[in-house]
Structure formats: C-alpha cells, structure tokens
Amino acid sequence: MPTFVKDLLDRKGRDVVTVNPEVSIGEAAATLHAHKIGSVVVTDGDGVVLGIFTERDLVKAVAGQGAASLQQSVSVAMTRNVIRCHHNSTTDELMEIMTGGRFRHVPVEENGRLAGIISIGDVVKARIGEIEAEAEHIKAYIAG
C-alpha cells in the first residue's frame, strides 16, 4: 500500500523554515545552520512558493562571487523552478522526482500555498516502513 505525502506530514508535522526573497544570502546561510537543515523555502507574505534556497545554491553563489555574494539577496541565488508535490503524491512518485531532478527537498503545495516539505530522508524512512510491513505480511501468510 503506498504512503501518501499527507501521511508523511501527519507524522512529521507541517512546519517549514521559510525566508522572504529580500533576505541576504548570508542570513539565509545562518538560518540553514541554526536549524540544521539543507534548504529553506522562499515565500512571499501569503505563503506562495517563489523558490527554494539550498546548500548547493549557497556554494554556487560563493564559488562564483566570493564573500561579496553573502550580501546579495537570496532571490538572486535561489532555485526558481521549484518542483512541488501535493498531499496525494506517493513516496514512489517522490523517489522518481527526487532521483530524476537530483535534489533532496520537495515543498508540498495545497491551494497555491506552502503546506509542508518532504526530504529524501522522509521518503527513505517511509519506504523502509512499507518494506518492513510487506515482509511481515509475507511472514504471516507463510506461517498460515
């Protein structure tokens, strides 16, 4: 039985660390560090997803422009074309999206607004749970 994004969010919560697009890259980096996370979602005041700023975006900015990049707004370095998922997306779909796109975080969007975030760790944990449950069902079936 597939695991849906709604189920993942019900277990882990719907809190997402966000920043506005005017925040500096240095401030966004400090936010990543303070929360021990790999990405922040960039939103407007209404919770509409404008982009995502990841560790990879930070490295690209610093490698390209050095320390001066830390003063620029996060909007110049964020990933704008953000792949999103919805409550009815499955872990199988997310694995395909994340593997194909080579990224580790997918914002959850409902009614045009941010509703959560799913990480590759969330997906792996859910898949392991699915496989363990399937193994238990097979054992029970064999045992009769």
Side-chain angles (χ1 to χ4, degrees):
M1 187 164 126
T3 301
F4 293 94
V5 165
K6 180 190 179 312
D7 301 323
L8 295 176
L9 293 177
D10 286 346
R11 285 188 287 239
K12 74 172 253 177
R14 288 170 167 67
D15 292 338
V16 183
V17 178
T18 63
V19 296
N20 70 56
E22 292 80 33
V23 165
S24 73
I25 291 173
E27 291 170 308
T31 300
L32 292 173
H33 176 70
H35 292 278
K36 295 179 175 62
I37 54 176
S39 70
V40 291
V41 181
V42 183
T43 60
D44 68 9
D46 293 324
V48 174
V49 176
L50 303 175
I52 192 166
F53 182 75
T54 67
E55 295 164 324
R56 190 177 293 161
D57 296 322
L58 173 61
V59 169
K60 183 178 177 184
V62 172
Q65 298 162 348
S69 65
L70 299 176
Q71 303 305 315
Q72 295 178 322
S73 71
V74 76
S75 64
V76 302
M78 70 183 185
T79 300
R80 292 178 183 276
N81 186 19
V82 181
I83 303 297
R84 300 158 173 92
C85 66
H86 302 280
H87 282 141
N88 61 350
S89 300
T90 66
T91 53
D92 288 340
E93 293 168 341
L94 288 173
M95 281 193 308
E96 187 175 322
I97 290 168
M98 290 175 161
T99 301
R102 295 184 49 120
F103 48 83
R104 300 175 302 182
H105 302 90
V106 178
V108 181
E109 188 175 70
E110 290 298 324
N111 301 318
R113 293 194 165 44
L114 183 63
I117 192 162
I118 301 296
S119 72
I120 191 69
D122 300 327
V123 174
V124 168
K125 183 177 178 180
R127 285 295 293 145
I128 289 171
E130 291 170 11
I131 292 167
E132 288 174 345
E134 183 178 331
E136 288 301 317
H137 286 108
I138 291 170
K139 285 179 190 175
Y141 176 77
I142 292 171

